[in-house]
Amino acid sequence: MKQKSLLTECMSLLLWKKSKKGIILKFMEISPIKAPSSGKVVYTGELASYGNIIMIDHGQDVRSVIFGDMKIKANKGDLVEKSQILGYTMADPGIEKSLYYEIRKKNFKFI
């Protein structure tokens, strides 16, 4: 599965699984979060109880959305290249945390 190889290249993961609308990535260490493809950062911030969020517009109505326990280094308006570091996971010793990742086309979720 192409998404798995891309995501495992991006960070050290204990586990990933497909949810109803995206992929949940579990981790226990600080790792870089890399852009899945080139694009423009259209939103960064917090999302209620879900943690920090970053949204990248890849063009042709395709967007990546990543949210969870992470420290975002990219800013709204930044142009990013594939594999460019967007931020880092935030880890606490012995505690499993997670990120959520999805791809949207015309605001429909594809992963």
Side-chain angles (χ1 to χ4, degrees):
M1 176 177 237
K2 190 172 185 177
Q3 287 85 9
K4 182 178 178 184
S5 63
L6 172 64
L7 294 169
T8 54
E9 172 189 330
C10 294
M11 61 189 74
S12 299
L13 303 174
L14 294 176
L15 173 70
W16 72 272
K17 69 176 183 173
K18 190 172 188 313
S19 71
K20 290 181 181 180
K21 299 177 182 176
I23 296 174
I24 299 169
L25 309 162
K26 302 211 179 243
F27 60 91
M28 290 184 71
E29 60 187 45
I30 296 172
S31 298
I33 300 167
K34 298 182 181 179
S37 188
S38 62
K40 182 177 183 178
V41 177
V42 294
Y43 183 80
T44 63
E46 292 183 36
L47 184 60
S49 62
Y50 294 104
N52 292 322
I53 181 171
I54 185 164
M55 186 178 295
I56 304 167
D57 186 340
H58 302 289
Q60 299 180 354
D61 295 319
V62 176
R63 290 183 174 192
S64 292
V65 180
I66 305 166
F67 62 85
D69 294 313
M70 64 180 162
K71 181 172 177 95
I72 299 171
K73 295 294 187 179
N75 296 302
K76 182 178 178 182
D78 286 355
L79 297 176
V80 295
E81 298 296 324
K82 180 179 178 179
S83 298
Q84 182 175 331
I85 294 175
L86 303 171
Y88 294 88
T89 58
M90 295 181 356
D92 291 320
I95 299 174
E96 184 178 84
K97 293 191 172 190
S98 64
L99 291 178
Y100 175 80
Y101 174 77
E102 68 183 29
I103 297 173
R104 296 180 177 184
K105 172 85 173 165
K106 294 187 178 181
N107 221 26
F108 292 100
K109 298 169 182 118
F110 280 88
I111 291 185

